[in-house]
Amino acid sequence: MTSSTVVLEARGLVKDYRRSRAVDGVDIVVHAGERVGLLGPNGAGKTTTLLMVLGVVSPDAGSVVIDGVHVDRDHSKAAASIGFAAGYLPLTDRMRVREYLTMYGQIYGLRDPKPQIAAGLERFRIPDLAEAMGTELSSGQRTLVGIVRATLHRPRLLVLDEPTASLDPDVARRVREGLGEICAEDGTAILVTSHDMSEVERLCERVIFLSKGRIVADGPPNEVAAAYGHGALEDVFLQLADQRDAGRRLEVEQTDRPA
Amino acid sequence: MTDMADLSGAADAARASAAAARDDELVRGWRLSWLRMRAIGTRHAYVLLRSPHRLFDVILWPVVDVLLFGSLATFVASGHTSGSARAAAYLIAGIVLWHVVYQSQIAVSTGVLEESWSRNMLNLMVSPITAFEYVAGVALFGLLKMAGALGLVTVGAAIFFSFDVPALGWGLLPIFAILLFVGWAIALFVVGVVFRYGAGAEALAWGVLFVVMPLSGIFYPVSALPAFLQPVALSLPTTHAFIALRALVDGKGIEWNQLALAAVLTVVLLALSLWYVTKMIEIFRKRGYITRYS
């Protein structure tokens, strides 16, 4: 169930790196409470798009507005409405989980982060980790703590990069359930990237497929799969990956052809 | 249809109530900035206290410095030549005050490097903390570290070499302030280089001071430097601050002209460093260098 409030409005995003165009005119609009998967094979432009949404990479063209605030005009204010977690990021060294979460709670402006920390750890069923050092955690535990950190301040938009990578099915389920609760209770919208298509089908009500920096599909998972003549998102993913590889082969052949 | 509309309305009402609760939980204005600075300071306090090797900068290095230069000063003073006692005093006063530059610079630049080493850069950059709040948090914590280190060198100079630094008087305060801001300005330059070239440029955090130190004439007058380096030395605010310090050691009182010159040059240096670090962060965002940390 989503309301009509727009939380993320990205228009005409373009980003060039030295050798190639990473993102080529991407438009994404996400509403409150919506769970959106940003998908595509490696090199499709997902991470660059996310980093532009987060305001840590400047677009060459286009704009990002979070909860009514232009990211490039007032990053601090826009960032206060965003939470971000990535499965690959470690916890800060030499801090206990409670200390780490307190630090980020304060950075996000929480007057007293303790209740939110307790509720977050409880929600993801890891209250016993509060006094553990960050370096003592498994990758799955780190991911859960990262999501707790990202949701302490009840963000309007939660951006997750590969949140369930390397998680066992039980922890992945905890992540899904916890995120579902957050969306329902706080109206938080989720924008998530993942290579695990079955996980995306369970978590997201809408998927956006990127290929070569452009949006090639946008809609509910079953409708997107059907539009490509498949029954599952994984087959759409593989088809796009094959097209990317075929395109690369063609480029190499054209480059190698004598003039 | 009506049921759906009711449900949607209920969900929106629940979200409005969540938003109101969210607003009540938040701190705003200058209190928010102070809270963020405190959070960063506390984070670095944990890192310092839980990494014994990091205490080297705050405890061992100042003690080694005061022993090394204090002993050298004692040896110089035993020469019984005219001016040897004065040179000895320059050595001890110079090394004590040099630690203001060293500690303030190293606290800020290694603070930022710490985020790179612990791969915390991306989390911080997507958060609402501003660059000013972050640097101020690290710098304020650095002040505490510096107070400890300065205390050590001052007490060490008094106990081992009977040199009473506070006896130099209130004139030390403006010199201290100038050296503090110079340390922060150099740190901002180092931070800019790290943003532009990555953590590989970390050698600069320590190395840059080994260039500034001899050029600033912290132990000797500028005239002792090779002639071609003297104009460079005179363009540094630290040089004029140490000229003022030697005047205090000689009992000549406060050299306001030198202090004014040092203050102007410090403002110029700070402005250049701020411009440089801002430009480098702009390039960092433009070229997507954050991917080095993800």
Side-chain angles (χ1 to χ4, degrees):
Chain A
M1 181 68 58
T2 61
S3 74
S4 57
T5 313
V6 172
V7 173
L8 163 65
E9 186 174 7
R11 294 286 182 198
L13 292 182
V14 173
K15 188 69 200 173
D16 288 329
Y17 289 131
R18 270 185 195 169
R19 291 182 189 169
S20 59
R21 175 155 289 191
V23 175
D24 189 7
V26 164
D27 294 306
I28 300 176
V29 176
V30 178
H31 296 85
E34 204 174 9
R35 300 190 302 268
V36 180
L38 188 62
L39 311 175
N42 287 334
K46 303 184 298 290
T47 301
T48 302
T49 302
L50 279 195
L51 293 174
M52 286 193 283
V53 166
L54 293 166
V56 285
V57 169
S58 330
D60 294 330
S63 63
V64 177
V65 178
I66 307 284
D67 205 21
V69 180
H70 278 265
V71 170
D72 58 344
R73 286 184 207 156
D74 191 346
H75 178 263
S76 181
K77 193 173 177 190
S81 300
I82 308 177
F84 170 72
Y88 47 79
L89 285 178
L91 262 64
T92 305
D93 282 355
R94 295 175 186 85
M95 291 180 86
R96 296 186 189 284
V97 168
R98 178 182 44 78
E99 295 161 351
Y100 173 75
L101 294 175
T102 302
M103 172 181 89
Y104 273 99
Q106 291 174 335
I107 284 175
Y108 280 91
L110 289 178
R111 185 173 285 117
D112 177 14
K114 280 184 207 148
Q116 295 287 2
I117 292 171
L121 292 174
E122 199 62 53
R123 187 195 296 279
F124 289 94
R125 289 181 260 159
I126 49 171
D128 52 312
L129 295 183
E131 296 305 317
M133 294 296 286
T135 44
E136 295 168 359
L137 306 184
S138 68
S139 61
Q141 290 169 330
R142 279 204 311 264
T143 301
L144 291 174
V145 173
I147 295 173
V148 172
R149 169 185 54 72
T151 53
L152 283 175
H153 59 297
R154 306 183 196 212
R156 304 282 290 147
L157 173 68
L158 180 59
V159 178
L160 302 168
D161 197 6
E162 298 284 352
T164 54
S166 75
L167 296 187
D168 69 39
D170 170 51
V171 180
R173 185 177 57 188
R174 271 194 254 175
V175 169
R176 264 196 326 271
E177 290 174 355
L179 293 177
E181 283 175 28
I182 290 166
C183 285
E185 289 170 15
D186 294 343
T188 301
I190 293 181
L191 183 63
V192 57
T193 72
S194 176
H195 285 139
D196 186 338
M197 295 300 113
S198 61
E199 203 57 60
V200 171
E201 282 170 336
R202 287 176 185 153
L203 178 65
C204 300
E205 59 206 356
R206 178 182 154 208
V207 293
I208 297 171
F209 261 103
L210 286 178
S211 180
K212 297 175 191 169
R214 292 183 180 174
I215 293 177
V216 292
D218 184 349
N222 56 341
E223 288 180 21
V224 167
Y228 274 78
H230 298 297
L233 286 180
E234 186 156 344
D235 296 318
V236 179
F237 185 98
L238 292 172
Q239 184 181 329
L240 290 171
D242 288 343
Q243 286 171 0
R244 175 201 61 192
D245 294 342
R248 279 185 189 159
R249 275 197 298 275
L250 188 65
E251 277 176 28
V252 171
E253 282 169 13
Q254 285 173 343
T255 310
D256 290 348
R257 193 177 298 154
Chain B
M1 193 65 190
T2 312
D3 288 349
M4 286 297 286
D6 286 349
L7 274 175
S8 177
D12 283 345
R15 281 168 196 150
S17 142
R22 181 167 38 213
D23 286 347
D24 287 345
E25 291 159 0
L26 298 176
V27 177
R28 297 187 194 287
W30 66 267
R31 285 191 180 85
L32 175 58
S33 290
W34 174 240
L35 188 66
R36 288 174 179 162
M37 289 181 218
R38 251 180 46 203
I40 293 301
T42 309
R43 175 254 196 286
H44 286 281
Y46 286 130
V47 172
L48 180 70
L49 296 173
R50 290 175 180 158
S51 329
H53 61 279
R54 284 167 206 265
L55 290 171
F56 183 92
D57 274 337
V58 189
I59 297 173
L60 197 59
W61 190 238
V63 171
V64 166
D65 263 354
V66 82
L67 278 175
L68 175 66
F69 289 97
S71 303
L72 189 60
T74 305
F75 173 71
V76 168
S78 67
H80 302 298
T81 57
S82 67
S84 56
R86 205 172 57 165
Y90 289 173
L91 275 171
I92 298 181
I95 198 62
V96 171
L97 269 292
W98 177 249
H99 266 274
V100 178
V101 184
Y102 177 81
Q103 296 291 340
S104 55
Q105 193 281 132
I106 217 80
V108 173
S109 52
T110 57
V112 174
L113 279 166
E114 180 66 41
E115 310 304 352
S116 163
W117 296 327
S118 60
R119 293 181 65 205
N120 194 36
M121 197 73 102
L122 181 53
N123 282 332
L124 278 176
M125 289 199 75
V126 302
S127 83
I129 194 167
T130 63
F132 172 79
E133 288 163 345
Y134 179 83
V135 171
V138 178
L140 288 176
F141 176 65
L143 275 179
L144 291 178
K145 278 168 55 179
M146 186 172 58
L150 275 184
L152 272 178
V153 286
T154 306
V155 170
I159 292 175
F160 302 134
F161 305 106
S162 306
F163 187 90
D164 188 1
V165 177
L168 294 176
W170 293 106
L172 280 175
L173 282 182
I175 297 173
F176 173 89
I178 286 164
L179 296 178
L180 180 70
F181 281 100
V182 169
W184 286 339
I186 296 172
L188 288 177
F189 169 74
V190 172
V191 168
V193 174
V194 170
F195 270 107
R196 174 65 182 80
Y197 297 101
E202 65 186 63
L204 260 184
W206 289 271
V208 70
L209 290 178
F210 289 104
V211 177
V212 178
M213 189 182 185
L215 286 174
S216 301
I218 69 171
F219 301 129
Y220 40 76
V222 174
S223 57
L225 282 167
F228 75 99
L229 284 176
Q230 290 179 17
V232 181
L234 289 171
S235 68
L236 297 174
T238 39
T239 305
H240 301 281
F242 282 101
I243 290 173
L245 175 66
R246 281 192 293 276
L248 282 182
V249 171
D250 291 340
K252 294 178 186 165
I254 301 171
E255 292 239 0
W256 291 108
N257 288 347
Q258 292 295 339
L259 287 177
L261 198 49
V264 169
L265 290 171
T266 302
V267 169
V268 171
L269 186 65
L270 258 178
L272 286 174
S273 294
L274 276 171
W275 172 83
Y276 181 74
V277 76
T278 307
K279 203 74 192 161
M280 291 305 106
I281 291 175
E282 200 180 303
I283 289 175
F284 182 89
R285 290 185 195 277
K286 186 88 184 154
R287 298 192 185 168
Y289 287 155
I290 190 65
T291 49
R292 290 169 176 161
Y293 304 97
S294 57

